[in-house]
Amino acid sequence: NPLVIENMDGCMEVPDALPASMPDATEILPRVLEPYAVSPAYQQIHRFFTVDKGFRDPDLSLASMAGQLSLSRNKLSHNLQQYYGMNFPEVINRFRIHHFLELLKEEDSRLLKVETLILQSGFQHKTTFYLAFKRVMHTNPSTYLKQYRK
């Protein structure tokens, strides 16, 4: 597949360092807009993403997340927009891509196929991942991995 860097065994080759020109994993995480960081509703949503890692559920939808948090879909959608300034898919994709980038740093990930890391990050399909990655990182995964490798 030309969009990923894999060795002859089909395993991903993990680059050593990220060039200064590319954003790192923490730069793509949604940031809470002030003064919402102290809001109990924000804390509940933040816990869902950071502690529970609910974004890793490939079947996650606005409705299912709202149900898990005992909120209406409209309230959750409003809260995400208010707290992060982003809609549901953008928030979820940013957490998933962040997770993917963090997995790249793990020693064990060197033995895994890119597709495995994509699935472990919560994406159901490579195509969805590639589109989201390009939108968030402003480059395709192949280019990113090549730059990361230098």
Side-chain angles (χ1 to χ4, degrees):
N1 184 339
L3 297 177
V4 295
I5 299 173
E6 295 182 3
N7 66 21
M8 295 301 287
D9 298 322
C11 295
M12 184 177 62
E13 296 178 20
V14 180
D16 296 327
L18 185 64
S21 63
M22 298 294 253
D24 76 3
T26 57
E27 293 174 328
I28 64 165
L29 276 175
R31 302 211 191 289
V32 65
L33 304 173
E34 294 297 334
Y36 301 112
V38 296
S39 161
Y42 167 74
Q43 294 298 323
Q44 181 185 23
I45 291 169
H46 182 71
R47 179 180 174 82
F48 177 86
F49 291 128
T50 60
V51 176
D52 303 337
K53 300 200 183 303
F55 60 85
R56 292 180 60 200
D57 176 0
D59 297 319
L60 186 66
S61 66
L62 182 64
S64 67
M65 183 176 169
Q68 292 178 53
L69 298 177
S70 300
L71 297 170
S72 72
R73 288 175 32 180
N74 288 342
K75 182 65 174 174
L76 176 58
S77 180
H78 173 77
N79 284 350
L80 291 174
Q81 189 66 47
Q82 184 177 31
Y83 300 153
Y84 296 115
M86 299 176 194
N87 63 26
F88 175 78
E90 188 172 359
V91 171
I92 298 304
N93 285 339
R94 284 178 174 265
F95 275 103
R96 287 175 173 169
I97 292 166
H98 172 265
H99 189 70
F100 173 83
L101 295 174
E102 290 298 311
L103 289 174
L104 285 177
K105 296 176 185 177
E106 295 179 6
E107 185 70 28
D108 294 342
S109 72
R110 295 174 189 257
L111 304 174
L112 300 174
K113 290 185 176 186
V114 172
E115 289 82 1
T116 302
L117 298 178
I118 290 169
L119 294 173
Q120 288 178 353
S121 299
F123 288 98
Q124 284 185 329
H125 307 286
K126 288 189 307 186
T127 304
T128 307
F129 167 75
Y130 291 141
L131 291 171
F133 192 94
K134 177 123 177 147
R135 192 174 303 118
V136 170
M137 300 301 290
H138 307 290
T139 188
N140 64 44
S142 177
T143 301
Y144 181 87
L145 290 173
K146 286 176 187 174
Q147 290 295 322
Y148 186 75
R149 187 176 196 194
K150 289 182 181 178

